[in-house]
Amino acid sequence: MTSLIHRSQFPLLAAAPELVYLDSAATSQKPRAVLDAVRDFYENDYANPHRGAYELSVRATTRYHAARERVASFLGVRDADCVIFTRGTTEALNLVAGAWGRANVNAGDEVVVTGAEHHANFVPWQQLALERGARFRICEIESDGTVDLDRLRALLSPRTKVVAFAHVSNVLGTIAPVREMAELAHRVGALAVCDGAQGAPHLRVRFDEMGVDVYAASGHKMLGPMGIGVLAARRELLERMPPFLMGGDMIEFVEDDHSTWNVLPHKFEAGTPNAAGAVGLAAAVDVLEGVGMDAVRAHEHALVASAYDRLSAIDGVHIHGPGADARGGVLSFTVGDVHPHDLATILDTRHVCIRAGHHCAQPLMRRLGVSATARASFYVYNDASDVDALAGGIVAAKELFGSVAV
Amino acid sequence: MSPSNDPMGPPDGADPRRADVAALYQELILDHYRRPRNRGPLEHADIALRKKNPLCGDVVELQLRFEGDTVREVSFIGEGCAISQASASMLTQQVKGKPVAEAVRMLERFTRLVHGDAEAAADPSLGDLRALAGVSRLPVRHPCALLGWTALAEALASRA
């Protein structure tokens, strides 16, 4: 199995042929096209968007707007003004919990998340509930890491104001039944918020057809630059929602005693935007659509299925979560009594980069009954040799630890 | 498959850290990891200090009983990687029964060992702890090796 996009297109990977990068769920490597787009923006069209009456600023504004249109079309959002640029998924989710949550969640209401959420889609809702006197409820996951729709349905009531869940689990790789979960939320009049940090980079997202009210994603996990992400939401929701950050660009008129707000998307983009990041993200989207998201999904599935089989065959390896068909390109596992951090150190000396720890999902770790796992995650530049290196490294770690107590 | 004939990776020694890691995960450290010494709660402890590495979740709680200026008893409770747990186990072994001033000196010596001081790495008074010298070239793992010792530092400071 060859890579989907050759590593020669990624300067860092091209310069380090020995590197086996298996931490794309944390952040992805950058293709030359993205780095070039950011540089081109700074070298040729750089000024502050929306500010100047001069031609250079107009060019910067044009590129920033074009980037928004491009990202909106990638995410299946027809109304591009409903795509708000943020720093990333974390900021997008905090925006919704902070702005919408404070205006709409009150004492006696309920806020629902699942037991498999990343801290970014857990803590903002937990804190919102504490602040508003609402009840924070956790939909427990099944033993294979999936969300059971009947269990979720039983948890929801007219008191439920929001249901927040990950499109794809960053630990288990589980792909959520997004449409069905959104429908259950809507049936009780709740908002459906989807954390797409591990979804948008790997699966075809059609926001307008998915049924969720909010979808958040990070550029850096999908070949784009760090510090740029998106919040996609329904127009009527964004229009009713108060602003999150206040400052330049997001206002219409500022009087001495009150202010009025700019139209979408500017109402939610206070201050100078990360236009270079947006331009880079648009270039990343071009790279992904160049191969097609269905091909990205198929490639990762093939890699994760192969890794699943190879690792399962190693005595002492325990893989957390569902089978390969129900997961994205993420594999969390433990190896006997070799602690994940020790495993990561040993793999690192073989140039294999994996993540070890709680993966910003301590509530899920408690539910799995482990303090840490090792996690390998795959992307477009990975190939069969990376799976070989992972399996070989695990075997070597076992040898180093001698007889592994299972 | 042994590291030396693994066809997938570069040969042994291709990365100097591989030798460090092989030296680190030696029998002595794995023995302390799998059969920790002085592990469990201490009766009549004067002080209990729990340290956690929020990045990785490793936990070491140190419990100490003093007698005058001497660390009479010390035990630990913990969970985490081989380095953090073996280091804590060795700590209890080395510090038990020592005068507070000697424990402070050991803390200082071991900290220097972790940061790559060759003289400290050869200090016989550090006993089994010398086996952890390989961690010096793995800076990401320094907090693991020092986790129990940060608890000890606080406990000793409280006696000063």
Side-chain angles (χ1 to χ4, degrees), chain A residues 86-95 118-121 124 195 197 216-218:
Chain A
T86 63
R87 276 197 298 140
T89 306
T90 298
E91 187 179 278
L93 293 168
N94 273 274
L95 190 163
H118 186 284
H119 294 160
N121 200 31
D195 166 1
S218 294

Side-chain angles (χ1 to χ4, degrees), chain A residues 364-389:
Chain A
L364 174 59
M365 293 289 121
R366 281 196 296 278
R367 284 163 174 80
L368 295 175
V370 294
S371 59
T373 69
R375 180 187 73 183
S377 49
F378 301 94
Y379 210 15
V380 291
Y381 32 69
N382 292 119
D383 63 18
S385 73
D386 296 330
V387 176
D388 292 340

Side-chain angles (χ1 to χ4, degrees), chain A residues 219-244:
Chain A
H220 72 94
K221 293 190 201 287
M222 47 194 282
L223 308 182
M226 278 185 159
I228 187 77
V230 290
L231 166 70
R234 286 187 300 104
R235 175 173 278 275
E236 58 270 33
L237 177 72
L238 290 170
E239 287 185 338
R240 281 203 318 270
M241 192 155 84
F244 179 53

